[in-house]
Each structure stands twice: as C-alpha cells, then as structure tokens.
Amino acid sequence: MRTDAAHGAPIAPGADQVERLLADLNPAQREAVTHGEGPLLVLAGAGSGKTRVLTHRIAWLVATARARPSEVLAITFTNKAADEMRERVASLVGGISRLMWVMTFHSACARILRVEAPRLGYKRAFTIYDASDSLRMVKRCMGELEIDPKRVSPRAVQAAISSAKNQLVDAADYSEAFTGRVAPGRGPEAAGRGGFEEAVAGVYALYERRMVEASAMDFDDLLVRTVNLLELFEDVREKYRRAFRWVLVDEYQDTNRAQYRLLQLLCSEHRNLTVVGDEDQSVYGFRSADIRNILDFDRDFPDASVVKLEQNYRSTQTILNAANAVIDRNPGRKPKRLWSEEGAGEQIVGYVADTEHAEADWVSREIDRLYRTEDLRPGDVAVFYRTNAQSRVFEEVFIRFGLP
C-alpha cells in the first residue's frame, strides 16, 4: 500500500485490493469490517474471529482512505493482545501501522499523561507505581493514621481504593457515601476506631495527597487522571478527539466505569466507536468491570449498528449446543446462537461423583483408559478445576495411580 510520505495518509488502493482484504471473511464479519461512520457494536461469540474483524476493519478504514493511520486508536486489555494485534495489522497494512495507537487502555493513558500531566500538578516524568509500590504507600498512610494493620488489612484497603477509582469515586465522594462526612482523614484516633469504610476513607484521602506529592500514579490513576484531564480542560479534550477519529475497543464487556467514561469523552462528537465483545464472557466483575457497558451500548448510542458473530471456528456443534444451553440461563443477555461447520463431533460425557475423591478416582481411571486404548499420553490431557484447593485431591490420586 502506498502512502503520502509527508503525512502518512493512505492513497486508496484499487477495488481489487480492498476485495482481497475482505475475501476470507464470512458475511457477518464482512458487515462489521465495512461499517462506515458511527457507532458499531460487534457481539462476538467465542471463537468467532473477533480479532480478525478488528484488524481487518482497521486495515479497511485505512485502505479505503476513510482514516489516516495516525487517527486510529485500537484498545485491547493485555500487552500480549496488543502485541498480537499490532503484528496482524502490520501484516495487512505494512509499515504505516507504526503511526497507529494499538495498545492497552493503561498504555494509551500513560502516553497521554506524559504530555499533559503538568496540568494536574504532576511532573511530566511522573512515576508509575505497580501493585507492590501502591501497597507500600497504603501501609505508609495507615501508619500515619495509626490504623492497626492487624485489624484492618492493607490489601483490603488497597482493593477498596482501587474499586472506588475504577468507578470514578474520588476520596471525598467515598467519604461522604460511606461515612456521611465530607472531609475524610479527620485524625488517627477516628480512623483507627471507625469501621472498615471509615478507615478506607481516611487512607484514601491521605493516599491521594501523598501520591501527588511524590508525583506518582498507580495503574488506576492512569485511567482516572486521563478522565480528569479530558473533563477539566476543553482544549485537551478537543485535541485528542481530533487526534483519534476512529476508536476501536476489544473485550468491551470487561470495561469499567472509568474506561467507559474515557471512551465517551473521546467519541461523543465524531461517534466513530467500534466495540467488540461478548456479555456471555464477562468474568471480571471482581475487577470492577461493568457488564452494563455492553448491554446498554445501543441505549447509549441509539443509532448504533449491531452485528452478531455467531459462526464458531474452534468447536464442534455438540460442544456449542451444550454451551448455548448453559448460557441461555443468564439473565439480561443479548441472545445469540453459536454454530459451527465442524460437524456434530463426539458426544460430551458427564459424570456425577459422590465425593471429591470419587471424582478424582474416575478422572484418573479415564486418563489411564485413554492412555491404554486411544494412544494418548497423559500430557495430552487437561484437568480443569475452579479453585487451587481442589488440585490437592487430584494430585494425591494421580500419585497413587502412577500418573505423572
């Protein structure tokens, strides 16, 4: 693909090149990739090719001259996913992918704050605290307030502060909501004698002051301070709205309130927001993810187009039928039916044991049977369990059976 050397603007290729970009997509994927301007919600079932849709949509926007590479902001949730997306986009559009922002929420916010942080009283070279640094600061604040760490867990305080930040609840609001007082941190005696919420309120207020004094931000601050910037400074808000005319978000079902507000501030005018996710795969509620963000997307954007990716490329229809039957019971979901061209496949075997030892015994005998009759090695078998404590019984029974 050729580009304008001065600006990195794409020179639109021929129609045959665009068609080759779309050639291997199924009809639903093609519909999502070729969506024009305006909000788009892609409900992507498991194994339905959502990363393929995101990367091809980015390439299509650039190839059809709808977007300059530098106008694209593509957000993922992990560094690994961001690396994979960058590689796949580069394979489609070439070197101009370097002009795009393809990264995690936190990386994008950190990049913005490295330029804009002085507006909020931080140094441009502010320090980013990891979880252990943050915990040390919480313990320091608890010490200043004379809160006994044996009575109030520092990790629990840290988690409460993190949860509040992800819901955009600042220290003053937290104090007012949980203690009925506008001014938290009234003194060590009150904080030490009060309940957990009052202790958190006092620590939260002091923690915020100490972090600013140290010109430091924790991971949650990266989101919150960027939201603060965009809300407080109209020129900064307009700068980044103009910079990112096309915003695409992966795993949207796992966004929290701060991330939702960030996207709202960036996209409320041009509204070129593409979100991809699956409410059936939302598992990060304990990290303040708000499933309402995806369930209410078409309410927040009444003109949004909705595309469902229901063809699964990983599993047989038997497995999908079982998954569909289980997930149908979830309340408040957007209905979809996963299907596959892989055929029915083998039947699923269910076994209900009376005890955890009987369960582990059955699993061990089944692995041994597969080893003897199906030419499978023990290393070809995976055993999943819900909590770490459940592994102990399996380990004991495997040792007794001689299974490595």
Side-chain angles (χ1 to χ4, degrees):
M1 183 183 299
R2 296 179 298 123
T3 65
D4 181 321
H7 303 289
I11 297 176
D16 58 330
Q17 291 177 278
V18 174
E19 190 55 37
R20 280 201 296 273
L21 184 65
L22 305 176
D24 295 332
L25 304 178
N26 66 40
Q29 291 173 335
R30 182 182 284 232
E31 180 184 357
V33 167
T34 59
H35 173 76
E37 295 191 350
L40 171 65
L41 169 61
V42 180
L43 294 172
S48 61
K50 67 180 178 64
T51 303
R52 184 179 183 82
V53 165
L54 274 173
T55 54
H56 277 66
R57 176 157 174 75
I58 292 169
W60 181 83
L61 288 170
V62 174
T64 56
R66 284 169 169 79
R68 293 174 181 268
S70 60
E71 294 175 333
V72 174
L73 170 62
I75 298 290
T76 67
F77 267 77
T78 66
N79 291 321
K80 181 179 179 181
D83 291 341
E84 179 187 354
M85 186 175 292
R86 273 194 295 270
E87 291 174 4
R88 292 174 68 167
V89 171
S91 71
L92 294 172
V93 303
I96 59 173
S97 64
R98 292 192 298 271
L99 299 174
M100 302 173 184
W101 284 34
V102 183
M103 57 190 68
T104 66
F105 271 107
H106 292 86
S107 295
C109 289
R111 191 164 169 180
I112 291 171
L113 288 166
R114 288 298 182 198
V115 177
E116 312 291 350
R119 299 262 197 149
L120 297 173
Y122 294 86
K123 296 177 182 177
R124 186 168 278 118
F126 62 88
T127 303
I128 299 176
Y129 278 12
D130 63 17
S132 58
D133 296 325
S134 170
L135 183 60
R136 278 192 291 273
M137 180 62 83
V138 167
K139 291 178 178 178
R140 171 186 163 185
C141 293
M142 290 178 65
E144 290 187 49
L145 294 172
E146 298 182 10
I147 298 174
D148 185 354
K150 294 180 180 178
R151 293 180 58 237
V152 179
S153 164
R155 289 188 184 277
V157 173
Q158 180 188 37
I161 293 173
S162 175
S163 177
K165 287 184 178 182
N166 283 317
Q167 298 174 64
L168 294 179
V169 176
D170 64 20
D173 289 339
Y174 185 95
S175 179
E176 188 169 11
F178 288 104
T179 72
R181 301 178 181 87
V182 176
R186 296 164 293 102
E189 295 82 7
R193 285 198 306 265
F196 176 74
E197 288 80 8
E198 185 167 350
V200 172
V203 174
Y204 192 179
L206 184 58
Y207 178 88
E208 294 287 81
R209 292 200 297 273
R210 295 292 178 259
M211 291 290 280
V212 173
E213 290 169 3
S215 196
M217 298 187 199
D218 59 32
F219 287 137
D220 300 317
D221 286 330
L222 297 177
L223 299 173
V224 174
R225 300 304 171 224
T226 305
V227 169
N228 294 157
L229 268 173
L230 299 179
E231 287 181 332
L232 293 172
F233 302 102
E234 185 176 354
D235 59 324
V236 175
R237 183 167 65 249
E238 291 306 312
K239 172 183 175 180
Y240 290 99
R241 279 179 176 173
R242 289 195 301 270
F244 303 125
R245 289 191 58 251
W246 299 89
V247 180
L248 305 94
V249 184
D250 193 12
E251 305 290 3
Y252 189 68
Q253 76 278 356
D254 290 326
T255 52
N256 58 37
R257 176 65 186 174
Q259 292 159 338
Y260 170 84
R261 180 60 178 153
L262 177 65
L263 295 171
Q264 198 176 44
L265 290 164
L266 288 174
C267 304
S268 59
E269 289 191 2
H270 60 66
R271 298 168 63 78
N272 293 325
L273 173 63
T274 296
V275 301
V276 180
D278 180 8
E279 77 280 10
D280 293 335
Q281 297 184 64
S282 179
V283 295
Y284 287 112
F286 67 96
R287 293 183 183 172
S288 301
D290 191 342
I291 195 173
R292 291 174 298 179
N293 291 348
I294 191 168
L295 291 176
D296 295 342
F297 185 84
D298 44 1
R299 187 190 68 182
D300 296 335
F301 297 93
D303 57 332
S305 296
V306 179
V307 177
K308 295 182 181 181
L309 304 183
E310 298 174 298
Q311 182 175 357
N312 177 284
Y313 292 92
R314 294 179 187 160
S315 304
T316 62
Q317 192 61 49
T318 296
I319 291 174
L320 296 179
N321 288 344
N324 286 331
V326 171
I327 213 69
D328 273 347
R329 299 178 181 272
N330 279 14
R333 64 186 294 266
K334 295 178 181 292
K336 55 184 175 295
R337 303 296 297 179
L338 298 181
W339 60 276
S340 172
E341 292 182 342
E342 299 298 315
E346 295 183 27
Q347 290 298 301
I348 296 170
V349 176
Y351 178 79
V352 180
D354 293 328
T355 68
E356 58 183 353
H357 286 88
E359 177 184 48
D361 185 78
W362 184 88
V363 170
S364 299
R365 293 181 187 280
E366 183 67 9
I367 294 172
D368 185 61
R369 183 189 67 79
L370 292 169
Y371 176 67
R372 288 184 287 101
T373 63
E374 304 290 340
D375 197 29
L376 290 178
R377 296 173 294 110
D380 295 326
V381 179
V383 178
F384 294 115
Y385 43 86
R386 288 183 60 84
T387 64
N388 288 333
Q390 290 176 286
S391 71
R392 179 65 180 269
V393 175
F394 285 104
E395 291 165 9
E396 292 174 350
V397 174
F398 287 171
I399 289 171
R400 193 167 71 242
F401 269 77
L403 290 174

